[in-house]
């Protein structure tokens, strides 16, 4: 093969790697961070034994090992791109051909596997299993001697099933010598017996031992796209074993290559754009920014991607509170009632987290601990979360439960990226209570243990208690008044409102005072001095436009950043 032909043959593989790397790194980084935050990879033999002691557990352990590096999205993008590159290269090698056409169609299993990873519930261990099985196929094919090769082939089946799970069926197909059909049938029978034998040793439903235990986060679902990728590999191997393909004339081969390349690329791009969860990526980005405490980043994104769901609105309001902008800017953005401030609790491993972060920052430490604990227990594949462990350690330190906090911190000490943080917290506890300034603040602003029991429909009652005990807690004050405004409860707002607390009085508080004034039948001329003339004049214009029956779109254009618009139209 000419040197130029070798370069041309490498182009499809390089395009797969680069396109996957850039797509995941630029368009899907928060999905990668999302995968990392819902696991706790510990560098201990006990953790290895616990994960690897079930069918497919070793590939799952390897997947978790790689996933810990997803804390850096570009590292995660490179890892998945390399795994897909390995699947493509091994598929091509196992085809037994050296043609450009074969190399192009070897992209298909890897491309479908990328579609699998567009799903946030897909686990990296599935791709690791795919690569390990194909690598074993190449290795067994290289064994010399028919008897020795057949023995290695059949003996490897149960080993691969235990290491990689049911994807080992690809080994039976790819590594088998189909001219010796009885050997292949023997391997298939051994593979078929593995799930039945495993059901006697492990407490898993039989269908899961056939479909895979650790390929997918949801334990009750079958990863259909993953198995479509496996099926495409089988079809690819079968098609390119046809001798007639090797006899195609060179001119026709290049035409077939051009058509195939265009078909594969267009199909792949179309499938990615159709199946990519870009709306989820935006929500996950909000969560990632909350985790990194990038409050300005959350607020600045509203001009490009306005928050419109309770999760993202909650993240936005949390950012506004932390930046001290909630009383002035909250109604500059979409608000969907108190569900956007404190979304109702539901059993989920994602939605309670931003609410728990808000609880943590207003001083509702026990409520934060409860929400975080419930979120962790709801993780579908029963993993632990490093992010949640960190917060649970902090809440227990603030509550004085040092023994419980040490259990969380000791586990984090066994990790790669959280070890230093955990050791610092252990040192804080050993030197003096609340030695860490950040935790000292939490201990000083929290209520005296009275937030254990509460209804998520009456969080205002807990905020009232916090303010009675800690009047200086400005975050709790802002949240309490925001609760009243979002509930359109002007009576409670006026009861909780303290004109001298913030000077000058924030914009939305002024708007609420004016709305309460005219609701009571008073004249705008009687507005208190704390209300600016600009707000009085603007409310007069608002009333005139309402009386003129202006359209909602018109009112939103000119008054969409006011509490008055929210009160009337939301």
């Amino acid at each position: 093969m000419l040197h130029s032909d070798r370069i041309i043959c490498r182009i499809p593989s390089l395009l797969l790697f680069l396109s996957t790397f850039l797509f995941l790194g630029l368009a899907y980084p928060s999905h990668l961070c999302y995968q990392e935050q819902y696991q706790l990879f510990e560098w201990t033999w006990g953790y290895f034994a616990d994960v690897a002691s079930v069918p497919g557990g070793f590939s799952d352990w390897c997947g978790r090992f790689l996933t810990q590096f997803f804390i850096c999205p570009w590292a995660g993008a490179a890892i998945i791109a390399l795994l897909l590159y390995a699947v493509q290269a091994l598929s091509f090698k196992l085809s037994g051909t050296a043609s450009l056409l074969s190399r192009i169609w070897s992209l298909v299993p890897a491309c479908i596997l990328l579609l699998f990873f567009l799903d946030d519930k897909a686990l990296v261990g599935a791709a690791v299993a795919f690569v390990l099985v194909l690598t074993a196929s190449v290795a067994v094919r290289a064994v010399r001697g028919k008897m020795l090769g057949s023995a290695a082939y059949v003996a490897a089946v149960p080993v691969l099933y235990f290491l990689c799970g049911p994807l080992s069926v690809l080994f039976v197909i790819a590594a088998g010598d189909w001219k010796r059909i009885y050997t292949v049938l023997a391997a298939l029978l051994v593979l078929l017996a593995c799930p039945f034998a495993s059901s006697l040793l492990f407490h898993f439903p039989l269908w899961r031992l056939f479909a895979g235990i650790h390929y997918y986060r949801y334990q009750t679902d079958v990863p259909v796209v993953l198995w479509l990728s496996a099926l495409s590999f089988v079809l690819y191997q079968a098609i390119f074993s046809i001798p007639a393909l090797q006899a195609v004339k060179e001119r026709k081969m290049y035409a077939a290559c051009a058509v195939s390349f265009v078909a594969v690329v267009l199909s792949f791009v179309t499938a990615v754009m159709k199946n990519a969860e870009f709306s989820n990526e935006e929500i996950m980005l909000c969560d990632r920014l909350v985790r990194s405490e990038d409050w300005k980043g959350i607020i600045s994104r509203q001009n490009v991607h306005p928050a419109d769901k309770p999760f993202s609105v909650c993240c936005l309001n949390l950012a506004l509170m932390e930046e001290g902008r909630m009383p002035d800017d909250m109604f500059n953005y979409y608000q969907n009632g108190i569900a956007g401030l404190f979304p109702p609790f539901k059993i989920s491993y994602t939605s309670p987290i931003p609410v728990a972060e808000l609880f943590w920052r207003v001083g509702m430490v026990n409520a934060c601990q409860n929400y975080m604990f419930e979120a962790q227990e709801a993780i579908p594949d029963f993993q632990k979360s490093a992010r949640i462990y960190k917060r649970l350690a902090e809440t227990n330190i603030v509550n004085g439960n040092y023994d419980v906090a040490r259990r969380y911190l000791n586990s984090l000490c066994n990790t790669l990226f959280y070890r230093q943080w955990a050791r610092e917290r252990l040192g804080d506890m050993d030197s003096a209570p609340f030695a860490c300034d950040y935790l000292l603040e939490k201990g000083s602003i929290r209520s005296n243990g009275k937030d254990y029991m509460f209804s998520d429909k009456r969080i205002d009652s807990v905020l009232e208690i916090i303010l009675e005990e800690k009047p200086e807690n400005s975050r709790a004050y802002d949240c309490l008044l925001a609760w009243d405004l979002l509930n359109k409860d002007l009576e409670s707002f006026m009861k909780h409102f303290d004109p001298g607390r913030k000077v000058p009085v924030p914009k939305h508080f002024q708007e609420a005072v004016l709305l309460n004034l005219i609701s009571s039948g008073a004249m705008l001329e009687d507005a208190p001095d704390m209300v600016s003339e600009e707000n009085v004049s603007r409310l007069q214009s608002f009333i005139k436009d309402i009386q003129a029956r202006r359209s909602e779109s018109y009112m939103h254009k000119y008054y969409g950043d006011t509490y008055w618009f929210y009160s009337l139209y939301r």
Side-chain angles (χ1 to χ4, degrees), residues 55 157-158 161-162 165-169 187-213:
V157 172
Y161 178 82
F162 186 78
L167 276 175
S168 51
V169 68
L188 283 172
L189 288 174
V190 171
L191 179 61
L192 186 64
C194 287
F196 290 101
S198 298
S199 67
L200 302 176
L201 300 173
F202 305 100
H203 298 290
F204 293 101
L206 186 60
W207 71 267
R208 284 189 61 197
L209 294 169
F210 272 99
I213 298 173

Side-chain angles (χ1 to χ4, degrees), residues 463-475:
L463 294 173
E464 287 177 348
I465 294 173
I466 291 175
L467 285 171
E468 287 176 3
E469 298 174 349
K470 309 287 183 181
E472 68 278 9
N473 190 333
S474 61
R475 293 186 182 98

